[in-house]
Amino acid sequence: MTPDPLPRQLTDLTLLLADMATAAAVAMQHATTALLEGRERLAHQVITGDAEIDLLRARVEEVATDALLFHAPVAGDLRAAVAAIRAAGDLERMGDLALHVAEHTQRARPVPATVCADFAEMGRLAVAMARKAAEVARTRNVLLAVELAGDDDAMDGLHRRMFGVLMDPAWGEGVPAAVDLTLLARYYERYADHAVLVAREVVYAVTGQTPDVLPL
Amino acid sequence: MRDAYQDQLDELAASLAGMCDEVAVALDKATRALLESDLHLAEEVITEDIRVDELRDRAEEQAFALLALQAPVATDLRIVVSAIHGAGDIERMGDLALHVAQAARRRHPQPVLPAEVAPYFAEMGRVGCALARKAGEVIRSRDLAKAAELESDDDAMDDLHQHMFSVLMDRNWSHGVEPAVDITLLARFYERYADHAVAVARRIVYVVTGRMPGPLTV
């Protein structure tokens, strides 16, 4: 079989990454709903659906490796192929983190009512960031990519706030709940970190630079 | 016959293996900082993390130079792509060691860990360092038997991690929420550190056999 021409492969990579980011966004949206509303079937759907994100990742690696193998791209095209491989790793991890959130739903302890609003907000922000990462992957919009760093600061703020709540002497939900929530908050924070990294890869592919050295 | 191309591939492997040794040292120091509430050691890990980041940048430059100038095929292409993944995993191991050191610094001069859980963290540190060193050896030797050892070493880490949770969740836990939250995150850092070491070894197995022995990301 003749390999696809390089521009076609690079377009495919762009679309695959956008699809992965959208799938990761949907997974986290469902996982958060499942978590906060105790919806076990929805949680189960997230857990089984993760395999699809893994398949997309394998497809990205395949297309990118073919691009390297058959076309030996240089400069921007080389960066695009390598950046796609790395971004796919981050996106797969986002899917895994959504899966971890969904797994928590299947445990006995629901999220205490006092912190539901905080987790709803972390979920909302995480999903918005993944959707933005999808948009960045699709459009290669460097300005939008830089916005994600600001969104991540907001997530870090929510994450810190959660620790404040847990460490407060007034925390009345006990240690096991605090341990659960510590991990859950960490999953959202890491998910956001990976969304930032995806955008960073796109910036790198387009400009050859990382976002922090760009005069934006 | 040795040529410049083969030398470049060897240099790339040496860079990655060197990174593994570097993050093994980082975790060892971070663990000691944690167990002995040693601020000086914690700060050493924190300032030295930049070295791991620099090594990663160098490994990636080497990988890009190979891709751009040599257009490797077959196994050699797999080596370079695996190296790019590996550099990311090993850098993350450095970050996780850094997080352990930051926890030690944050609570200084108070100890982070109650005395009865300290031995588990000493063990997690030992297993983690051994995994990083072994990953470095696997990169150098491409020894598949050694690569398989990392999988069972990781099981030991998972057991320690699980055990930590059962200690925290036990009704007899008497140290309150704050240390429980610290320990939850710290145990997670060690567990993730081990996962990344396993991912590095799996990529080497893939290079040698063309088959991935387990999930791509861990």
Side-chain angles (χ1 to χ4, degrees), chain A residues 24-138:
Chain A
V26 170
M28 194 49 123
Q29 191 161 16
H30 287 167
T32 304
T33 304
L35 177 75
L36 296 176
E37 296 172 14
R39 288 174 49 185
E40 283 192 31
R41 282 213 346 244
L42 192 57
H44 183 72
Q45 200 180 311
V46 174
I47 292 165
T48 52
D50 187 53
E52 221 165 289
I53 300 180
D54 296 352
L55 279 177
L56 282 169
R57 193 239 172 119
R59 183 76 195 127
V60 168
E61 292 221 354
E62 205 182 325
V63 173
T65 310
D66 275 358
L68 295 172
L69 185 60
F70 292 110
H71 301 295
V74 293
D77 292 342
L78 172 58
R79 288 200 305 269
V82 172
I85 292 175
R86 286 194 296 222
D90 287 303
L91 288 162
E92 191 200 336
R93 185 75 197 137
M94 288 164 75
D96 291 345
L97 290 161
L99 180 146
H100 288 333
V101 171
E103 282 171 342
H104 259 264
T105 308
Q106 300 185 319
R107 300 201 183 159
R109 271 184 302 279
V111 173
T114 46
V115 296
C116 276
D118 296 288
F119 278 91
E121 182 59 14
M122 279 192 272
R124 196 199 54 73
L125 188 55
V127 171
M129 288 178 75
R131 293 209 182 274
K132 208 176 268 187
E135 189 65 18
V136 168
R138 197 166 21 240

Side-chain angles (χ1 to χ4, degrees), chain B residues 60-106:
Chain B
E60 294 203 333
E61 274 165 34
Q62 289 172 321
F64 267 87
L66 272 160
L67 289 173
L69 304 174
Q70 310 284 1
V73 296
T75 304
D76 291 348
L77 178 57
R78 284 208 297 264
I79 291 174
V80 178
V81 171
S82 298
I84 290 170
H85 285 293
D89 281 307
I90 304 164
E91 191 208 343
R92 184 75 199 137
M93 291 163 77
D95 290 343
L96 290 161
L98 170 80
H99 291 339
V100 172
Q102 284 168 331
R105 183 172 70 175
R106 193 162 50 241

Side-chain angles (χ1 to χ4, degrees), chain B:
Chain B
M1 196 188 77
R2 312 281 306 168
D3 53 21
Y5 172 45
Q6 196 57 49
D7 286 345
Q8 275 177 288
L9 279 172
D10 290 348
E11 273 170 35
L12 180 57
S15 294
L16 285 186
M19 274 182 87
C20 286
D21 295 339
E22 197 81 31
V23 300
V25 171
L27 189 68
D28 178 52
K29 282 185 188 170
T31 305
R32 278 191 285 138
L34 184 70
L35 295 171
E36 295 157 21
S37 303
D38 185 333
L39 183 61
H40 178 73
L41 208 50
E43 284 180 339
E44 219 173 282
V45 176
I46 292 164
T47 50
E48 283 171 0
D49 183 56
I50 188 96
R51 266 203 340 235
V52 178
D53 299 347
E54 283 165 4
L55 284 171
R56 184 210 178 152
D57 290 345
R58 218 187 67 203
E60 294 203 333
E61 274 165 34
Q62 289 172 321
F64 267 87
L66 272 160
L67 289 173
L69 304 174
Q70 310 284 1
V73 296
T75 304
D76 291 348
L77 178 57
R78 284 208 297 264
I79 291 174
V80 178
V81 171
S82 298
I84 290 170
H85 285 293
D89 281 307
I90 304 164
E91 191 208 343
R92 184 75 199 137
M93 291 163 77
D95 290 343
L96 290 161
L98 170 80
H99 291 339
V100 172
Q102 284 168 331
R105 183 172 70 175
R106 193 162 50 241
R107 299 280 179 239
H108 184 83
Q110 299 300 317
V112 182
L113 305 173
E116 77 251 33
V117 302
Y120 296 105
F121 278 89
E123 185 61 10
M124 281 193 272
R126 200 193 57 72
V127 174
C129 287
L131 274 161
R133 292 200 187 283
K134 220 174 255 189
E137 284 171 43
V138 170
I139 291 168
R140 288 191 185 95
S141 66
R142 296 198 201 152
D143 178 341
L144 294 185
K146 186 135 269 176
E149 276 177 36
L150 273 96
E151 303 275 349
S152 50
D153 295 346
D154 185 45
D155 291 342
M157 183 67 95
D158 288 343
D159 288 346
L160 285 161
H161 187 230
Q162 275 312 313
H163 180 76
M164 247 11 292
F165 277 104
S166 52
V167 170
L168 295 176
M169 298 296 194
D170 194 287
R171 67 181 69 225
N172 292 319
W173 176 257
S174 59
H175 304 282
V177 173
E178 194 168 293
V181 167
D182 281 343
I183 289 167
T184 301
L185 286 176
L186 282 164
R188 175 100 186 141
F189 297 152
Y190 283 93
E191 191 232 351
R192 293 294 301 152
Y193 181 101
D195 286 344
H196 285 287
V198 170
V200 170
R202 282 184 186 163
R203 292 271 173 194
I204 299 293
V205 174
Y206 173 67
V207 163
V208 177
T209 66
R211 273 192 213 159
M212 199 64 72
L216 279 167
T217 40
V218 282

